[in-house]
Amino acid sequence: MNQSNKRAYNFNAGPSALPLEVLEKAQQELVNFQKSGMSIMEMSHRSATFEKVHNEAISRLRKLFAIPTDYEILFLQGGASLQFTMIPMNFLKNGKTASYIMTGVWSEKAYKEAKLFGEPVQIASTKENQYRNIPTFDEIDIDTDDAYVHVTSNNTIYGTQWSEFPNTGEVPLIADMSSDIMSKPVDISKFDMIYAGAQKNLGPSGVTVVIARKDFLAKANSEIPTVLKYSTHAESNSLYNTPPTFGIYMLGEVLKWIEEKGGLTAIAQQNEEKAKLIYDVIDNSNGFYTGHASKESRSLMNITFRVADEELEQQFLSEAKEAGFIGLNGHRSVGGCRASAYNSVPLETCKALSDFMIAFKTKHQ
Ligand SMILES: Cc1ncc(COP(=O)(O)O)c(C=O)c1O
């Protein structure tokens, strides 16, 4: 616990930490938003006041993430999980293939949904290596007839991250960026679609950001339910039905905070510093701590590690909890420990964890 403001050392994997400044501003504006006499949650999504918030969030996202004008920006619902379904529903047909690159549980879930609509193919997988690494480019062979190639840019559970993306040529590249969106600048033009639930780097849960090239969206199937068509949302500026208004407001405030921090280059630099504080302790611990991910595939967002033996690992987790660290248990499917250091996790929180890890090792080795 950070005693100066009573904030937990929050390493939750998602939903996760939000910037204190954003929470305080939302608190100030909660009951009477911009002298309207009501909260943002109580007003119509068709009101001029809400539409301004909505449109500003879209334009701020475009500017900060350098999204070209030939891309739509959509705010949807249903989480990244609904995208696992909407993508093949819109872009696959019986007998049509798409390539999935398997780097963890979230890729598996995306692949499973695609099987309901067409013929997804696993063109590369690191499952045999317990998803410790990202495949190298020469392990990836793309079929030019594919409707698209799907990747998971950051693997929240295993703690791996793509540092560069394969060149898929004419085949559209789609990325699930749920756990590293806007953690660094990215060349958007390499992708035909990017999607992410907001609840890690961008705001509270409830909003899903979709960024998609307009001419890719134009290729979508038309014989599908209205609300599941990207075109429905693109044509109505994501206001086809009632959007998650509070979530969109919070997303806009998080984007302002990113802007005030100096944009994505500054955010990326800080994310590197934060992750280094913890990876350095692991690497200099003579095997007391071991990382799950291979070094070349390490994620700057989710740092996964084990403590020398299982009993000590339980003790580490319980002492950490007592010391005010939240969310350090690894995902139930892999165990161990995981520190999620998303954009809004302060440097001091990572420093506190690295100090705690050093002190724990000194006491128990
Ligand atoms: C990489 C990745 N993809 C997809 C999901 C699922 O997201 P949602 O819960 O928004 O459906 C998660 C959730 O943690 C994730 O980390």
Side-chain angles (χ1 to χ4, degrees):
M1 183 86 74
N2 182 337
Q3 289 306 329
S4 61
N5 54 23
K6 295 273 191 287
R7 295 277 290 161
Y9 292 133
N10 185 350
F11 287 100
N12 278 330
S16 45
L18 284 164
L20 178 61
E21 299 92 316
V22 169
L23 292 172
E24 286 176 343
K25 174 140 186 258
Q27 183 182 42
Q28 261 170 31
E29 297 186 325
L30 191 70
V31 175
N32 188 359
F33 183 74
Q34 293 178 1
K35 303 201 176 107
S36 62
M38 64 186 103
S39 142
I40 188 89
M41 289 177 276
E42 299 170 287
M43 63 181 66
S44 168
H45 59 293
R46 310 268 174 222
S47 64
T49 311
F50 179 74
E51 270 201 78
K52 185 160 178 275
V53 169
H54 183 86
N55 290 336
E56 275 184 15
I58 294 173
S59 53
R60 200 160 258 124
L61 187 67
R62 191 178 295 283
K63 188 161 161 252
L64 278 170
F65 208 17
I67 302 170
T69 51
D70 56 337
Y71 284 70
E72 293 285 356
I73 298 174
L74 308 177
F75 295 155
L76 306 183
Q77 299 181 66
S81 300
L82 185 58
Q83 294 309 303
F84 297 163
T85 307
M86 269 176 79
I87 290 165
M89 192 181 235
N90 278 267
F91 302 109
L92 267 191
K93 278 195 173 130
N94 247 342
K96 188 97 184 128
T97 59
S99 288
Y100 279 71
I101 302 182
M102 311 304 287
T103 51
V105 164
W106 299 112
S107 320
E108 288 175 7
K109 292 197 171 173
Y111 169 79
K112 180 169 169 242
E113 295 307 297
K115 280 208 288 194
L116 299 170
F117 301 95
E119 307 289 331
V121 183
Q122 299 190 4
I123 57 162
S125 170
T126 56
K127 188 169 186 165
E128 275 188 13
N129 192 26
Q130 287 85 46
Y131 291 129
R132 288 175 196 278
N133 65 302
I134 299 291
T136 55
F137 289 173
D138 47 342
E139 291 170 80
I140 299 169
D141 196 9
I142 290 155
D143 180 343
T144 50
D145 284 337
D146 279 345
Y148 57 83
V149 176
H150 181 278
V151 297
T152 314
S153 62
N154 183 78
N155 298 282
T156 326
I157 296 174
Y158 303 91
T160 62
Q161 185 174 23
W162 291 79
S163 50
E164 278 184 63
F165 294 92
N167 182 353
T168 57
E170 292 297 300
V171 184
L173 178 61
I174 300 182
D176 172 1
M177 288 198 185
S178 289
S179 49
D180 68 349
I181 190 165
M182 296 188 81
S183 61
K184 57 182 177 185
V186 165
D187 178 0
I188 305 288
S189 69
K190 287 201 158 153
F191 301 88
D192 283 69
M193 183 181 284
I194 289 169
Y195 65 94
Q199 65 270 21
K200 301 173 201 296
N201 270 340
L202 297 182
S205 59
V207 189
T208 311
V209 172
V210 172
I211 299 161
R213 202 189 285 273
K214 290 177 186 171
D215 58 9
F216 177 58
L217 292 184
K219 293 185 203 154
N221 300 329
S222 52
E223 307 292 298
I224 57 174
T226 311
V227 77
L228 298 174
K229 282 184 196 169
Y230 291 105
S231 59
T232 302
H233 301 285
E235 282 158 16
S236 56
N237 190 31
S238 302
L239 292 165
Y240 166 71
N241 64 326
T242 318
T245 51
F246 186 71
I248 292 171
Y249 156 73
M250 288 293 284
L251 165 70
E253 291 302 319
V254 171
L255 294 172
K256 276 185 209 166
W257 175 85
I258 294 178
E259 204 169 76
E260 281 156 19
K261 288 269 154 189
L264 294 190
T265 308
I267 289 277
Q269 203 180 342
Q270 184 154 86
N271 284 335
E272 285 197 19
E273 256 179 79
K274 281 157 39 183
K276 186 173 186 307
L277 281 170
I278 301 164
Y279 281 129
D280 277 354
V281 176
I282 296 171
D283 293 342
N284 297 328
S285 72
N286 289 322
F288 185 84
Y289 299 109
T290 48
H292 175 80
S294 309
K295 275 193 184 173
E296 74 289 354
S297 297
R298 277 175 168 175
S299 165
L300 297 185
M301 297 280 98
N302 310 98
I303 299 156
T304 46
F305 59 97
R306 310 251 16 174
V307 182
D309 74 73
E310 291 222 0
E311 214 175 298
L312 211 47
E313 188 166 270
Q314 283 317 310
Q315 198 171 338
F316 172 83
L317 288 168
S318 83
E319 285 189 25
K321 196 169 168 199
E322 255 171 59
F325 294 94
I326 308 292
L328 287 179
N329 285 67
H331 187 270
R332 59 192 181 281
S333 61
V334 291
C337 312
R338 169 176 58 175
S340 298
Y342 298 123
N343 286 356
S344 310
V345 174
L347 184 74
E348 306 76 66
T349 300
C350 294
K351 177 76 173 71
L353 178 60
S354 101
D355 289 348
F356 175 83
M357 288 171 74
I358 293 168
F360 184 86
K361 173 179 172 276
T362 308
K363 196 161 98 187
H364 295 285
Q365 72 184 341

